[in-house]
Amino acid sequence: MMMNISPRLPGENNKDYSYRVIKANIMSLNLRPGQVISEIDLAAALEISRTPVREVLAMLKEEHLVEVYPQVGTYVSKINLQLIEEAAFMRFTLEKEVLKLACASFPVEELLELKKNAALQKLLLGQQGQAPEFHKLDTEFHHIIFRGNKKENVWTSITRLSTHYNRIRLLSEMERSYDDTIRQHLRIVEIIENKEMENAERMYQEHILWPMKNWEALYHRDSPYASYF
């Protein structure tokens, strides 16, 4: 089992460290949906004891990212279409309203951060193999909008429900161009800056709901990724 092992953060204990690294490998699809994993292998890869790894796997099970079958084994959860639909519904319902709030009032310093983020995304236009980097910028882009509206706890709730949604989104970004998504982000910045509240709902239909139609090819039975679902 190959994992990307990032350096330990200052003051990070074994449990926090293993949780961060294992979850990051699941969310990045480095640990594939349906892949068998074991406490022994994970502990060896992280060079820690099995106890914190066992605790982390229990936490990830609660987050629907790990499945444990007694007497059989532990697996990375396959991507669940119902959880994707629920996350998309939550994101669309809440994000269009938060965008409207941002049109009414948005701190200058947060708008500057949003523009910086969008500028970094723009540098990725036309580039291949940058899906993981784009995905990080994408997540932070939306986080900034919630933060600027003092809705960080709402964003945390969205993030917790969006683990399966974010995995299929990353898979789509790896297979398809993410140029359209970057252009949509640039447009969202314009909507906030120009206070175009009337365009918020349409923008998030295009940004969140419409791309889901393209995802059907990923879980079709003839797809090379059919086993991920």
Side-chain angles (χ1 to χ4, degrees), residues 120-135 137-138 169-186 207:
L120 290 172
Q121 291 184 46
K122 196 172 181 180
L123 294 175
L124 299 179
L125 280 170
Q127 293 192 38
Q128 299 295 319
Q130 295 293 323
E133 179 60 27
F134 166 68
H135 195 71
L137 290 169
D138 185 357
R169 193 159 58 88
L170 177 59
L171 184 60
S172 176
E173 289 159 0
M174 291 166 61
E175 288 297 297
R176 301 168 58 90
S177 169
Y178 35 82
D179 287 6
D180 285 345
T181 306
I182 294 174
R183 293 189 187 98
Q184 289 164 14
H185 286 159
L186 295 171
H207 191 58

Side-chain angles (χ1 to χ4, degrees), residues 6-69:
S6 57
R8 192 183 291 254
L9 300 176
E12 198 171 37
N13 62 33
N14 284 344
K15 182 177 177 181
D16 291 343
Y17 172 60
S18 55
Y19 174 80
R20 180 173 61 81
V21 173
I22 296 170
K23 184 173 182 178
N25 276 271
I26 292 174
M27 294 304 299
S28 67
L29 304 174
N30 192 47
L31 291 176
R32 301 182 308 279
Q35 180 177 342
V36 64
I37 53 178
S38 75
E39 289 178 17
I40 296 173
D41 292 342
L42 291 170
L46 294 166
E47 299 181 344
I48 60 175
S49 69
R50 291 172 59 182
T51 300
V53 171
R54 185 180 306 119
E55 294 172 350
V56 164
L57 291 178
M59 293 167 61
L60 293 173
K61 183 175 184 293
E62 291 296 314
E63 296 181 32
H64 306 291
L65 288 175
V66 164
E67 299 289 342
V68 180
Y69 299 99

Side-chain angles (χ1 to χ4, degrees), residues 11 47 52 73 76 80 129 172 181 192 209 223:
E47 299 181 344
V76 176
N80 184 293
S172 176
T181 306
I192 293 173
L209 300 183
S223 165

Side-chain angles (χ1 to χ4, degrees), residues 12-228:
E12 198 171 37
N13 62 33
N14 284 344
K15 182 177 177 181
D16 291 343
Y17 172 60
S18 55
Y19 174 80
R20 180 173 61 81
V21 173
I22 296 170
K23 184 173 182 178
N25 276 271
I26 292 174
M27 294 304 299
S28 67
L29 304 174
N30 192 47
L31 291 176
R32 301 182 308 279
Q35 180 177 342
V36 64
I37 53 178
S38 75
E39 289 178 17
I40 296 173
D41 292 342
L42 291 170
L46 294 166
E47 299 181 344
I48 60 175
S49 69
R50 291 172 59 182
T51 300
V53 171
R54 185 180 306 119
E55 294 172 350
V56 164
L57 291 178
M59 293 167 61
L60 293 173
K61 183 175 184 293
E62 291 296 314
E63 296 181 32
H64 306 291
L65 288 175
V66 164
E67 299 289 342
V68 180
Y69 299 99
Q71 315 304 322
V72 178
T74 301
Y75 298 81
V76 176
S77 294
K78 292 193 175 186
I79 301 175
N80 184 293
L81 299 181
Q82 178 62 32
L83 289 175
I84 292 170
E85 191 281 329
E86 290 186 38
F89 174 82
M90 186 181 192
R91 286 198 62 168
F92 172 70
T93 302
L94 294 174
E95 291 203 48
K96 65 182 175 63
E97 297 303 323
V98 171
L99 183 55
K100 291 176 184 177
L101 292 175
C103 289
S105 177
F106 200 68
V108 174
E109 61 273 17
E110 296 288 14
L111 182 59
L112 181 59
E113 287 300 313
L114 202 63
K115 287 183 173 181
K116 287 180 181 177
N117 180 289
L120 290 172
Q121 291 184 46
K122 196 172 181 180
L123 294 175
L124 299 179
L125 280 170
Q127 293 192 38
Q128 299 295 319
Q130 295 293 323
E133 179 60 27
F134 166 68
H135 195 71
K136 291 177 187 175
L137 290 169
D138 185 357
T139 300
E140 180 58 18
F141 179 87
H142 291 277
H143 180 200
I144 292 168
I145 298 174
F146 278 78
R147 188 177 69 209
N149 285 284
K150 295 182 169 57
K151 297 289 185 290
E152 285 206 76
N153 289 316
V154 178
W155 177 248
T156 298
S157 296
I158 289 174
T159 302
R160 287 186 64 85
L161 184 61
S162 296
T163 51
H164 288 243
Y165 174 90
N166 284 335
R167 284 194 294 168
I168 194 173
R169 193 159 58 88
L170 177 59
L171 184 60
S172 176
E173 289 159 0
M174 291 166 61
E175 288 297 297
R176 301 168 58 90
S177 169
Y178 35 82
D179 287 6
D180 285 345
T181 306
I182 294 174
R183 293 189 187 98
Q184 289 164 14
H185 286 159
L186 295 171
R187 176 67 182 125
I188 288 170
V189 174
E190 289 180 354
I191 287 173
I192 293 173
E193 192 166 30
N194 299 330
K195 302 185 183 301
E196 301 174 38
M197 191 180 299
E198 70 280 2
N199 291 323
E201 183 161 345
R202 169 80 178 189
M203 184 69 251
Y204 274 115
Q205 286 177 345
E206 181 181 347
H207 191 58
I208 294 174
L209 300 183
W210 295 357
M212 294 175 68
K213 297 175 183 176
N214 296 322
W215 297 350
E216 294 176 8
L218 296 171
Y219 53 81
H220 190 274
R221 63 185 179 184
D222 295 329
S223 165
Y225 303 106
S227 65
Y228 284 17

